Amino acid sequence: RERKLEANAVLTSQQIMSYLQGQDRDVVVIRKNKTKPKTAHEKNRALASGAISVEKKYGGGTNRNSGGVNARKIEEEDSDFKHRKIPVEFKKALMKARQMKKMSQKELAQKCQLQASIIQQYENGKAVPNGQIISKLSRALGVSLPKIPKKKKVKDDS
């Protein structure tokens, strides 16, 4: 007796061998699962029939944390969050020392292995003070630059 194989039939090696030997065994056809609904109409129909289910996850698909304890701490904090700034004396001393050495901002930056924009930020007073960068600048220029005062902590009266 002859049997026909379906075009999309998937057989195991044992089934192929039994088929080739002429044994009377049934052909197993394994088909791919139904495809996922692509359009909104198909999704709604699948939801209504119960073929798929949707779980709402808290904060799913967002890049936000739940907040919680840390958010409360930030809200209760009453001090100002300002970083230290470059004082005018430091800016002037840096420019004067660089000009005395007849160096451009770019040359000083290369000597300190920094970007020229960092030197520009320090001379304009827009940089956030970094002790390592300041010590590099001092060594490269051969002068001691003025110290940047630390931010004073506000004492709590309670």
Side-chain angles (χ1 to χ4, degrees), residues 102-142:
K102 296 183 175 147
M103 297 173 83
S104 67
Q105 289 179 347
K106 187 175 181 180
E107 290 169 345
L108 178 60
Q110 286 175 345
K111 193 169 183 180
C112 296
Q113 297 177 347
L114 299 170
Q115 294 177 350
S117 62
I118 293 175
I119 306 299
Q120 187 177 16
Q121 287 173 356
Y122 271 85
E123 288 187 359
N124 291 336
K126 294 181 180 177
V128 177
N130 183 335
Q132 291 177 331
I133 293 175
I134 293 170
S135 65
K136 280 183 182 182
L137 292 171
S138 295
R139 271 186 265 127
L141 294 170

Side-chain angles (χ1 to χ4, degrees), residues 146 155 157:
K155 291 185 179 179
D157 292 335

Side-chain angles (χ1 to χ4, degrees), residues 65-97:
N65 291 332
S66 61
V69 178
N70 292 333
R72 189 181 74 234
K73 284 181 183 178
I74 291 172
E75 288 296 322
E76 291 173 356
E77 188 67 44
D78 58 346
S79 63
D80 58 342
F81 294 101
K82 293 182 181 177
H83 58 77
R84 295 186 299 160
K85 293 186 178 182
I86 305 285
V88 177
E89 312 86 56
F90 183 88
K91 295 189 296 187
K92 288 181 179 178
L94 178 61
M95 278 192 273
K96 190 173 184 180

